[in-house]
Structures are given as C-alpha cells and as structure tokens.
Amino acid sequence: KNMDNEHICAHLFSVFALLVREGIALEILAREGLYIFTRAMQIHLNCANIAAFLVEIIGQFSYVPQYACDIVLNGSVKLLFQLLESYNMNSSLLAGILQTL
C-alpha cells in the first residue's frame, strides 16, 4: 500500500514540476504547494523519484526572488539538507540539490 502511495505521490509531483517548469500557477504553488510538497517528502524520504521532482520544483522557485521566503519558511531548505544526507551517493540528485541550494 505504501508503494502505491509513493507511486501516486511521484506522479503528482511530476505534474506539479511540469506546472512550475512552465510557469503556471506559481504563486499558489509557492504559497500552498511548497508546504505540502515538503511534508509529503518527509513521509516518502526514501523515494528518489519524489526527491528528484521536489528538488526540481524548489530549484525552479529559487530562480524567482519573490519566492525565497516561501522556500525558507516552509522548511524546504532544511529538507534539501536532509536529502543531501540521504542521497549523497546519487550523483544526479546530489548535483540538483547542490545547484538548488
């Protein structure tokens, strides 16, 4: 059952990553979504697919200065450091995390 949840969560994160990449609904996703994404990632910390999408989402927001507070306030920076510890052997994910930070 947990694997099903991870699958569903990964698909949702991929859709949200696409929306952020395309610049769609950024304000809503920054204000509400980052908090939800961060909490969901804490539940699925061992899922590299979800982590990769979250790093992409946070990375996209990090290019827009107005979302810096949202990134910090919802715990995304702390989560990125947790991901650094968890995925330090995954070179592509590690590169994405370091680039986002």
Side-chain angles (χ1 to χ4, degrees):
K1 184 154 182 149
N2 193 31
M3 196 61 146
D4 290 340
N5 288 341
E6 280 185 14
H7 237 28
I8 291 167
C9 198
H11 285 291
L12 286 172
F13 271 54
S14 71
V15 170
F16 288 122
L18 176 64
L19 291 174
V20 171
R21 199 177 315 127
E22 296 297 322
I24 299 169
L26 287 181
E27 190 170 323
I28 293 168
L29 289 173
R31 190 176 53 242
E32 306 296 332
L34 280 172
Y35 174 80
I36 294 167
F37 302 150
T38 302
R39 297 303 166 258
M41 188 65 231
Q42 289 173 338
I43 294 168
H44 299 290
L45 196 58
N46 62 340
C47 182
N49 288 337
I50 296 173
F53 288 125
L54 181 65
V55 168
E56 180 183 349
I57 290 168
I58 296 170
Q60 292 294 327
F61 280 119
S62 70
Y63 285 106
V64 184
Q66 75 187 54
Y67 300 124
C69 285
D70 294 307
I71 292 170
V72 173
L73 292 175
N74 69 41
S76 294
V77 174
K78 181 180 176 184
L79 182 62
L80 288 172
F81 281 108
Q82 286 177 313
L83 292 175
L84 269 176
E85 290 179 29
S86 298
Y87 293 99
N88 59 14
M89 299 307 255
N90 183 328
S91 60
S92 63
L93 189 53
L94 185 61
I97 293 168
L98 291 173
Q99 185 176 10
T100 298
L101 287 171

